[in-house]
Amino acid sequence: MFKIKELEKKLGKKIKRNTVSFGFDGALIKSGYCIIKSNTSNLIIIDSGVIVHKNYKVITDKLNLLKNTLKKIKIPESKNKVAVIEMPYMGMNAHTGIMLGLADGLAYSIISNKIPYTFFLSAISARSRIGFKPRKRTKEEIKKGIKKVNTKKAVAEYVKNKIGFVSKSDDIVDAFVLALSGLIN
């Protein structure tokens, strides 16, 4: 549980009160989700989890697992609900982009039946809403041959230090960031 006033001070942003927010970070190996609820003074984690697709080779098997899992997730009753689905990152592989688009489209069709106000947000936009700024590689990392910064790990560290949210899964952290983005005015 987080005190909203403290969270607003840390983020420099206003948080919507008395609202349920569902964040979904879709992927083809593991998808994370997180449900948070604000009341007049606190932000509460209601549920979170990871849907593991990596053992399925066929896209329809992955989609069926996603569909069945999302259908089982219970959304708390609230007059105010919002859901934020991460916009698929296309990268250079068109096939992967198509598969992610299918997965996110399926997620949208299920989540939007539970939460009519459902929208897509890029990972960069969601992270920016909570104040995360990606960092460049350090000289030491460049010397070691590290090609890029592990952004998921950097976001998890930022969320831990700035907000105090910790999870064993970076996919849940990303889903938390999306859900929190849905509550930021």
Side-chain angles (χ1 to χ4, degrees), residues 18-32:
N18 301 310
T19 303
V20 169
S21 186
F22 181 97
F24 180 74
D25 175 28
L28 296 178
I29 296 174
K30 294 186 293 179
S31 296

Side-chain angles (χ1 to χ4, degrees), residues 130-147:
I130 65 160
F132 175 79
K133 292 177 179 57
R135 68 172 181 83
K136 305 253 189 240
R137 291 180 297 157
T138 64
K139 289 179 182 178
E140 187 175 295
E141 288 170 331
I142 293 168
K143 283 180 185 176
K144 287 182 179 178
I146 296 171
K147 302 270 185 220

Side-chain angles (χ1 to χ4, degrees), residues 3 9 22 28 50 54 60 110 115 117 144 147 154:
K3 297 287 182 196
K9 190 174 181 180
F22 181 97
L28 296 178
V50 176
K54 70 180 177 184
T60 51
I110 293 166
I115 304 173
Y117 186 58
K144 287 182 179 178
K147 302 270 185 220

Side-chain angles (χ1 to χ4, degrees), residues 5 28 36 47 59 62 106 108 117-118 138 143 171 175 177:
K5 291 269 186 208
L28 296 178
I36 59 179
D47 188 16
I59 187 63
K62 292 177 184 237
L106 173 67
Y108 176 80
Y117 186 58
T118 297
T138 64
K143 283 180 185 176
D171 300 297
V177 168

